[in-house]
Amino acid sequence: MILRYLGHSAFQIVCSSGISIIIDPFLDNNPLAPLKSKDLEADYILLSHAHGDHCGDTLKIADKGKTTIVAVSELASYFAKSGYHTHALQIGGAHQFSFGNVRLIKAEHGSMTPDGRYGGLAAGFILNIEGTCICHAGDTGIFGDIRMYGELHEIDYYLVPIGGNYTMDIQDAALATSWINAKYAIPMHYNTFPLVKADPYEFQRAVQAYGKQAIVLAPGEDLSL
Ligand code: NI
Ligand code: MN
């Protein structure tokens, strides 16, 4: 299985079976993203919330015959109305897909579609795939239940926003990493635009102060899991 960072909060997971899962594809309007929508195919697209820097290129990548869009009910129905195949979840709920288990978790954030419709609650994901547990936090501020998710799941990789302003900053994200008790944190949602400027190596040091480890991935970089 490969975990590929696509820049901002976008990741691709390529399972051993070849199944391609893309989370929060924001590529064509992100100058830091080396791979663009035309380069990618997805069996599943997982969307944490409806903001443009997360739904991004979903409509360009999703294939109506092949792709399932997984999101909170309100956002899933937004895509279902346009003829896309979707799977709706709600916060706390989980579903066993062919590739593994997906649980929707809480995120402290807003969610409105690019055309101004209510997008449901913002969310994150806990994924159990091929024996590896990955938590994608979505866009979120810090909140105490992050600790609870660490009790419920043995998280191997915590994909966590560090850019501040709209989400946790470096210090919050380092504390959240210790609360969720992840083996490794991977920083995201930074340096894409000036308001979310942050040094991922400063985050790495902040995480080390809690006895934890962070892996900094450059956009386009792969991690073999
Ligand atoms: Ni957002
Ligand atoms: Mn965002």
Side-chain angles (χ1 to χ4, degrees), residues 8-9 49 51 53-54 109 139 166-167 189 193:
H8 202 52
S9 295
H49 64 293
H51 289 156
D53 60 321
H54 297 261
H109 196 70
D139 272 5
Y166 304 107
T167 68
H189 211 274
F193 16 84

Side-chain angles (χ1 to χ4, degrees), residues 15-39:
C15 303
S16 306
S17 59
I19 288 176
S20 165
I21 303 157
I22 298 179
I23 308 171
D24 284 359
F26 172 63
L27 311 165
D28 294 358
N29 289 329
N30 178 5
L32 301 180
L35 290 169
K36 300 300 178 191
S37 60
K38 63 175 171 43
D39 305 317

Side-chain angles (χ1 to χ4, degrees), residues 22 81 180 201:
I22 298 179
K81 278 185 196 132
I180 211 161
Y201 296 99

